[in-house]
Amino acid sequence: MARSLDGLVLAPVADQAPGQVGTGTRFTYHEEDGAIWAEYAGGDIVRGRLVGTREGDRLDFRYVQLGQDGTTSGGHCVSLVVELPDGRLRLEETWEWESRTGAGTSVVEQAGPPARDPDTGRTG
């Protein structure tokens, strides 16, 4: 299992459609005892939240967001946590709107280099 998402900031590697998550959006993840949650904002998103569970390297969560245009929307996402060769984490996501039509895939990656422990020099 890849390391914890707790405290990590992740960002999309590509823009989605207008009014959705894009490269200007930042997700701050939290994780505890199999539960995951995150806050996100940026780009076309004023504020978003997600909440769900983690089993191994699989995340299953619901999300809801407020767009710059004043609309709200929500959906369901299943993600696979992957550790990149440089030690950063990536989420490979399959999502579907529940409040409107649409579905797709996306990728978010840990922003910046992984944190290093000052005593051991290890990442994580």
Side-chain angles (χ1 to χ4, degrees):
M1 182 167 97
R3 69 180 194 280
S4 174
L5 296 168
D6 195 50
L8 298 183
V9 175
L10 289 92
V13 299
D15 285 323
Q16 298 293 322
Q20 296 183 28
V21 165
T23 56
T25 309
R26 295 294 177 270
F27 294 78
T28 302
Y29 271 83
H30 310 279
E31 181 175 353
E32 184 177 331
D33 298 328
I36 57 149
W37 64 100
E39 304 84 33
Y40 60 98
D44 289 339
I45 307 302
V46 173
R47 185 176 315 272
R49 299 285 187 267
L50 66 83
V51 63
T53 59
R54 179 176 183 172
E55 290 186 27
D57 290 335
R58 183 180 185 274
L59 308 181
D60 188 326
F61 60 85
R62 294 287 192 292
Y63 57 90
V64 63
Q65 63 191 37
L66 171 64
Q68 293 285 354
D69 63 0
T71 61
T72 60
S73 51
H76 175 244
C77 183
V78 174
S79 298
L80 178 64
V81 181
V82 175
E83 188 164 353
L84 297 170
D86 66 3
R88 295 179 305 125
L89 294 184
R90 166 187 283 171
L91 301 181
E92 298 175 350
E93 304 178 319
T94 302
W95 51 267
E96 182 175 12
W97 291 108
E98 295 178 327
S99 62
R100 60 184 183 186
T101 59
T105 60
S106 55
V107 174
V108 296
E109 291 183 354
Q110 186 176 346
R116 294 197 176 271
D117 183 299
D119 295 325
T120 66
R122 292 185 189 161
T123 59

